[in-house]
């Protein structure tokens, strides 16, 4: 089946954002685990259910990194479920950043970057689903 150039660009853009987010999440999780919090004070976790940065690191690796990796692999293999998992990954990133900022009671440019990545993933999924009128929906092979 032929897809439009715009659809191809959108799908490749989605794959790129998913891969960036997956690598960042897993890399960030490993760094949190091996450095004991990347130099951040444990006081940032006061009032949270986490006594150390190990819990957030595991969530970051498994939930955020895992869903992004799965979504990227499925998208690159043109699987029907790729857009579902891409949406799950996008929502998980947005939720992760929102919860993180509430727990640490602060905001940095990195959180803004990853929040934007999650929103971009969702917007690209909506485009590939044909929710926006100017784009041809992606077709399963």
């Amino acid at each position: 089946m032929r897809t439009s150039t715009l659809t191809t660009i959108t799908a490749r853009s989605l794959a790129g954002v998913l891969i960036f987010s997956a690598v960042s999440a897993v890399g960030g999780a490993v760094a949190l685990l091996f450095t004991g919090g990347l130099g951040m004070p444990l006081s940032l976790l006061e009032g949270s259910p986490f006594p150390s940065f190990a819990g957030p690191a595991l969530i970051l690796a498994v939930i955020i990194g895992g869903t992004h990796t799965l979504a990227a692999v499925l998208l690159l293999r043109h699987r029907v479920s790729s857009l579902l998992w891409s949406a799950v990954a996008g929502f998980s990133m947005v939720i992760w950043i929102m919860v993180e900022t509430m727990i640490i009671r602060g905001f940095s440019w990195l959180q803004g970057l990853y929040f934007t990545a999650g929103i971009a993933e969702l917007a690209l999924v909506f485009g590939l689903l044909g929710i926006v009128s100017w784009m041809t929906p992606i077709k399963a092979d």
Side-chain angles (χ1 to χ4, degrees):
M1 254 182 228
R2 294 187 52 152
T3 58
S4 74
T5 302
L6 185 57
T7 301
T8 300
I9 291 169
T10 305
R12 287 180 181 169
S13 297
L14 177 58
V17 178
L18 289 168
I19 291 166
F20 166 77
S21 296
V23 170
S24 296
V26 173
V30 168
L32 277 172
L33 284 173
F34 286 104
T35 65
L38 290 167
M40 294 181 286
L42 271 177
S43 62
L44 286 175
L45 298 178
E46 285 179 12
S48 79
F50 305 108
S52 74
F53 288 102
L58 290 173
I59 293 169
L60 184 58
V62 175
I63 304 297
I64 308 304
T67 58
H68 280 84
T69 301
L70 177 61
V73 168
L74 292 171
L75 185 64
L76 293 172
R77 292 186 177 176
H78 305 284
R79 300 292 189 245
V80 174
S81 62
S82 66
L83 295 182
L84 169 66
W85 283 104
S86 296
V88 168
F91 278 118
S92 73
M93 181 67 83
V94 169
I95 292 167
W96 168 262
I97 294 300
M98 290 173 65
V99 170
E100 180 182 66
T101 57
M102 287 188 294
I103 288 174
I104 68 169
R105 294 173 298 280
F107 188 80
S108 77
W109 68 270
L110 272 176
Q111 289 161 319
L113 173 71
Y114 292 113
F115 184 83
T116 302
I119 295 296
E121 291 164 1
L122 293 171
L124 292 166
V125 167
F126 292 159
L128 291 170
L129 287 172
I131 293 172
V132 290
S133 61
W134 48 265
M135 185 177 292
T136 306
I138 195 168
K139 305 287 187 212
D141 289 338

